[in-house]
Amino acid sequence: MRNIWTPYTYFSRRNFVILVAIQIVIAMVCWISLDAKWLPTPLAIAQEWQKLVQNQGLIPNLIESVRTSLISLVLAAGFSTLLVFLSTAPLFWPFAKFMSAMRFLGFAGLTYIFTLLTNNGDDLKIGLLTFGMTVFMTTNLLAEVKSIRQSSIDHCRTIDMQGWRISYELLLRGKLDVILDLLRQNAAVGWTLLTMVEGLVRSSGGIGVMLLNQNRYFNLAGVFAIQITILLYGLIQDWFLGWLRYTVCPYLTNNKK
């Protein structure tokens, strides 16, 4: 444990688990002993979480938010991957760059447009969230396209590959692990946007609506309870998508630390 202060040194998994456990214990002791009005105690948060589950439907609202997030994630991943795949041809490159540039736009100015394009509140939520994730994933995928070396393209041509076959081999197959990693990252981005989207469209509920309601009435214990619930689900989701990436791309295990 003497090398914990030295950057880029080997640290065993066992020692890492011990270090994390010690830090968690210290953090919990500081939290419990800290008498601050702005920070509810763990007991108060646990009691409020129980009330939210029993009386306000925390679990059904969480399921609704998960459903919205997953549908939007699949749509965003499919649309951005297809757009960037097509952008390897000069005709479609401006469309991909335009989609990437729209990441600077906020939801407030787009809500009216998406309202006209959708049939109900549920579709409106999915549309806004899909847009929010698509623009960022498109930006990241375009950077991956630029990182493909000319030598790789020339190599494909020497083995009699042409046109879209080169794009398929170098982007969809060659960058599959990167695409799945970007999928994992954008799943997290989606949860940061979800509260805003569900706040704009409250008709179908969701955990974001509950969070805004608790925040509106300054119920800090309720806010912390909901945030911790989101955090725990997010960690489980992140682990699953990471596992999926290594399962689909088993060649990554050689570089896994």
Side-chain angles (χ1 to χ4, degrees), residues 68-89:
T68 301
S69 176
L70 292 179
I71 293 175
S72 302
L73 180 63
V74 171
L75 292 175
F79 182 74
S80 57
T81 302
L82 176 62
L83 181 60
V84 173
F85 174 77
L86 294 175
S87 73
T88 55

Side-chain angles (χ1 to χ4, degrees), residues 229-242:
T229 302
I230 295 174
L231 176 62
L232 292 177
Y233 170 79
L235 292 175
I236 295 173
Q237 174 184 270
D238 193 69
W239 172 85
F240 173 76
L241 293 176

Side-chain angles (χ1 to χ4, degrees), residues 14 19 27 33 95 100 112 116 159-160 163 174 217 223 233 250 252:
R14 175 179 175 273
L19 182 63
S33 60
F95 294 98
S100 174
Y112 178 71
L116 296 178
I159 56 178
D160 202 27
Y217 294 106
V223 170
Y233 170 79
L252 294 173

Side-chain angles (χ1 to χ4, degrees), residues 26-48:
I26 294 174
M28 291 299 296
V29 170
C30 293
W31 186 1
I32 294 173
S33 60
L34 182 64
D35 186 18
K37 295 182 179 179
W38 55 269
L39 185 63
T41 64
L43 179 60
I45 294 174
Q47 292 173 343
E48 191 63 33

Side-chain angles (χ1 to χ4, degrees), residues 124-256:
L124 177 57
K125 283 197 306 182
I126 293 174
L128 288 170
L129 194 57
T130 299
F131 171 82
M133 288 190 284
T134 298
V135 293
F136 287 104
M137 192 165 183
T138 299
T139 302
N140 294 327
L141 284 174
L142 285 175
E144 293 300 324
V145 171
K146 289 184 178 180
S147 70
I148 298 176
R149 297 179 180 180
Q150 183 62 41
S151 59
S152 299
I153 300 174
D154 294 337
H155 174 71
C156 290
R157 288 171 177 163
T158 60
I159 56 178
D160 202 27
M161 291 186 188
Q162 298 294 331
W164 297 111
R165 177 66 187 278
I166 297 177
S167 298
Y168 170 76
E169 292 293 338
L170 295 182
L171 182 60
L172 295 187
R173 291 192 63 184
K175 298 286 187 179
L176 179 59
D177 62 309
V178 178
I179 294 174
L180 291 175
D181 191 52
L182 291 176
L183 181 72
R184 181 176 63 88
Q185 296 178 26
N186 277 271
V189 172
W191 277 94
T192 64
L193 299 174
L194 187 63
T195 300
M196 184 187 305
V197 170
E198 291 182 337
L200 292 172
V201 188
R202 293 172 173 253
S203 57
S204 55
I207 201 168
V209 177
M210 294 187 65
L211 182 61
L212 292 173
N213 289 337
Q214 298 299 317
N215 189 65
R216 178 182 179 183
Y217 294 106
F218 302 103
N219 184 5
L220 294 181
V223 170
F224 273 77
I226 295 174
Q227 291 280 34
I228 291 174
T229 302
I230 295 174
L231 176 62
L232 292 177
Y233 170 79
L235 292 175
I236 295 173
Q237 174 184 270
D238 193 69
W239 172 85
F240 173 76
L241 293 176
W243 170 83
L244 179 65
R245 176 173 176 248
Y246 282 100
T247 301
V248 175
C249 306
Y251 50 85
L252 294 173
T253 55
N254 295 328
N255 300 322
K256 187 176 181 181

